[in-house]
Amino acid sequence: MKNWKSKIIGGVLRASAFVVLLILAGIILYVLVLGIPQIKPSLFQWKYNSENVSMMPAIINTILMIILSLAIAIPLGLGAAIFLTQYKKEGVVVKVIRMTSETLSGIPSIVYGLFGNIFFSTFCGLGYSLLSGALTMAIMILPLIMRTSEEAFLALSKGLEESSLALGAGKLRTISKVLLPSAMSGIISGIILGMGRVLGESAALIYTAGTATGLAESLLSPARTLSVHMYALTSEGLHMEEARAVAAVLMVLVLIVNFISNRLGKMVGGKNE
C-alpha cells in the first residue's frame, strides 16, 4: 500500500514539474518566434526617433537602472541579514523586521511607483529621473535580497562559526572570512531574483523614471527602461512589430542574465566547498 502511495505521489510531482516546464517553454518559444523575425538593425541605432523606435537607449538605461538599484539594495539587504542572523537572532526587533520585510514583499509594484512618485520625485525633488527609479526599485527588491541572504546564513552549519571563534577569530572576521563566503551562493540567488525584478518592472518605473526616449545623461535625467519601452510601443498601437522584437530581446536578456548568474553561483559555491 505504501509503495502505491509513493508511486502516486511521485507521479503527481513529476507531472507538476513537467507542466511547469511546458508552460515556461511555451512562453519562451511564443515570444521568441513572434519577436525574432521582427528584429532589424534600425532598432539598435544609438538615437531614438519616431521612425526607428530604437531600443538601444532603453537597453543602456536598463543596465544603469539594474546597477544603481543593486548598489543600493545589496549593502542594505545583506547588512540586515547579517544583523538578524548573527547579532540579533531572537526578540521583538527581529520579528518586527521580518514582518516588515514580508509585508513589503506583498505590496503591488504600482503602489511602489506611486510612493516613489510622491516621495522621491516630488517631496525629495528628484523628478522623473534615473535616481528616483533606482531608489524605488531598491526598496522593491530589498526584502527579496534580505530574506534570501538570511536563509543562506541560517542554512550554514553551526560548526563553521564555532570553529572560527574557537581558533581565536573575532566576530567580524568570522562573518567576513568564513560565513559570508560560505553563504555566497545563496546570496547570489537573491541578487539574481532582484535583477530579474528590475529587468521586467514597468509599472513602478513609469511613475518614477519616466518614459523619455533618450539616453539618461545623468542620475537626474529621465530614463525609459526596456520593459517601459515595450509598454509604450504597445500602448501606442503604432509599432506592434517592433514591440514584439523588444519583447524577444528582453526575454533573451533575462535568459542570459539567469545563465551567467547561475554559472557564477555554482562557481562560487564550488570554490567555497
Side-chain angles (χ1 to χ4, degrees), residues 143-157:
L144 183 62
I145 295 177
M146 188 189 82
R147 293 295 291 170
T148 52
S149 300
E150 183 184 359
E151 293 299 326
F153 280 111
L154 293 176
L156 296 177
S157 173

Side-chain angles (χ1 to χ4, degrees), residues 152 156 160 175-188 264-273:
L156 296 177
L160 287 174
I175 294 172
S176 60
K177 299 297 183 180
V178 179
L179 300 182
L180 187 58
S182 300
M184 189 56 66
S185 60
I187 295 172
I188 290 177
L264 181 61
K266 289 182 178 179
M267 290 174 58
V268 172
K271 182 179 178 181
N272 290 331
E273 289 179 1

Side-chain angles (χ1 to χ4, degrees), residues 81-92:
I82 293 173
F83 173 78
L84 292 175
T85 57
Q86 304 301 320
Y87 289 96
K88 196 74 175 177
K89 299 183 180 181
E90 298 294 339
V92 178

